[in-house]
Amino acid sequence: MIPFFPKQIATKAIYLYLGVLAAVSIFFIRYAMSIEYIIMGIAWVVGFFLLSSYCSQKWKDISQKQLLSNLFLTALGLRIFWVFFSYIYYTFKTGIPFEFSAADAIWYYEESIGNIDTYWKDIWNYLFVDTLSVSDSGYVFYLTFLAKIFGTNILFPRLVNACFSAAAVLLIYFLAKRNIGEEGGRLSAIFACFMPNLIYYCGLHMKETFMIFLIVAYLERADYLLRSKKYNVFTIAIPVLLALSLFTFRTALGGVAVFAFATALVFTNTSIIGKTKRYMLIGWGLLAAFTLTGGTIMNEVEGLLENRDTNQANKRLMQTNKGIKWAEYATGTVMAPMMFVLPFPTMVDVDEQYNQQMISGGNYVRNFLGGFVLLSLFSALFVTKNWRNLSLIGSFVIAYLGIVSMSGFANSERFLLPGLPVLLIAAAYGVTLLDAKNYKFIKIWYYVVPFMVFAWAFFKLGSRSLF
């Protein structure tokens, strides 16, 4: 078992990125990214791989208390730096402290400050009672809470989100430790600490950062409930409340959270969960499901399921009408097998997709780590065959990514983001499984990743008839 991220692999990942970036920029020189996005991409990639390798070796033998302190302070420092940097950068580039082509972020901010002088009872009715959809209501409620206490400053919610993101890193450690061991837990948390995509969203006024904290908190508490020999009303109530909160951020997430817990109840080995607790939780879950039936949340879930095929077809039609010809073939059947390695990075300047170019380095990191994710998946299913005891986190990420693949947003970095914490755990597990035999697969992956990245740039431009 390898308890750290080998420098040899980290260095190889950086060289591959620099090589494919140069190839794309030269081959498609008319559509090459501007120098600022090239520098950002290099910084994301070099920073992630070198720091993950260095810290995983430096911190592998320190005490848990020191590890948690190092993780939190490092993660928080990086995120606070990015909050201030992105605030200045966006203000300079767009004239306002919001990302390029901002829409949802501005709406969230305006909704929150518009509720400052409104009574809490009226806010509650507006967001959760007199509405046809509770999706997004949770984040508006959260921002309104911050605005009522601390005022309308744009930076403050982002700094609070940075704290929640750093806290999520610690929760990932505990969740991963119980599922894949101490070494895998440490490496998972280190990956999360330096993951570009998790840092990037701290600088936006979007819901993703706080939503990911809730996801990780739910999975960690649900996993604790399943594995702990002692349980009470609080250990049961906390994951239930966290699952309900996810419905108010993105309806599909709440449904997936419930599905994942039900799957874990059925498949987790009795030696871990216990027969009595299994039956008790199944019965309690059925009672909760019947209680929710007919409410706003259940109606929204039913509508999502009924309209999933229509939504996907409409999304593909809209993209095709814009001249994006490849979208015609982006069906769930085509995209689902690639969900563990998506999204592909945007390394060409097209359609003013500046936000995608800013985070292209982070998406490359996801592509590269995808090889370790696939290795861990294969091992859990066919080698160690311990998939039953990983069924909570496994069913969560598979179900969610499956839904996204059917939605028409299969390569949308923002919609794929909620699956990232579990994918980082899977990648860390894959690293710990490395041996001479498994490394042969990773060597093949060294060729697959540059091909995917270059092919994506080719299709992105070619589908728009730009060459």
Side-chain angles (χ1 to χ4, degrees), residues 193-204:
C193 177
F194 298 114
M195 187 65 205
N197 303 64
L198 298 181
I199 298 172
Y200 170 77
Y201 275 90
C202 293
L204 306 182

Side-chain angles (χ1 to χ4, degrees), residues 6-84:
K7 186 177 180 180
Q8 175 188 359
I9 297 177
T11 304
K12 189 72 173 182
I14 294 172
Y15 287 154
L16 288 174
Y17 176 76
L18 294 176
V20 73
L21 176 62
V24 169
S25 300
I26 294 172
F27 195 85
F28 305 110
I29 192 167
R30 288 180 56 196
Y31 302 97
M33 294 190 296
S34 65
I35 188 65
E36 60 192 283
Y37 301 130
I38 290 176
I39 292 174
M40 283 185 191
I42 293 174
W44 288 128
V45 172
V46 173
F48 174 84
F49 285 111
L50 288 188
L51 289 172
S52 293
S53 176
Y54 175 80
C55 291
S56 63
Q57 295 185 58
K58 193 77 172 178
W59 298 348
K60 65 183 177 66
D61 296 319
I62 64 176
S63 67
Q64 183 183 95
K65 181 179 179 181
Q66 186 63 53
L67 172 71
L68 296 178
S69 176
N70 289 356
L71 284 169
F72 183 80
L73 293 177
T74 303
L76 184 60
L78 289 171
R79 284 152 176 77
I80 288 177
F81 168 80
W82 180 256
V83 167
F84 284 104

Side-chain angles (χ1 to χ4, degrees), residues 5 44 61 68 70 76 88 101 104 111 129 135 175 200 226-227 239 261 293 309 327 362 367 387 397 410 420-421:
F5 190 52
W44 288 128
D61 296 319
L68 296 178
N70 289 356
L76 184 60
I88 296 170
S101 304
D104 289 353
E111 282 285 296
V129 180
S135 185
L175 174 63
Y200 170 77
L226 289 170
R227 296 174 185 271
F261 190 74
T293 301
D309 293 332
N367 298 157
W387 63 269
V397 72
L420 183 56

Side-chain angles (χ1 to χ4, degrees), residues 210-258:
F210 189 62
M211 184 171 68
I212 286 176
F213 169 79
L214 293 176
I215 292 169
V216 176
Y218 164 75
L219 291 174
E220 196 278 330
R221 287 293 84 192
D223 183 75
Y224 176 83
L225 174 61
L226 289 170
R227 296 174 185 271
S228 177
K229 302 301 180 183
K230 298 179 180 179
Y231 53 93
N232 53 45
V233 65
F234 295 105
T235 56
I236 296 174
I238 291 174
V240 170
L241 293 175
L242 287 168
L244 288 175
S245 72
L246 290 176
F247 282 102
T248 69
F249 278 72
R250 187 172 292 165
T251 309
L253 276 174
V256 168
V258 174

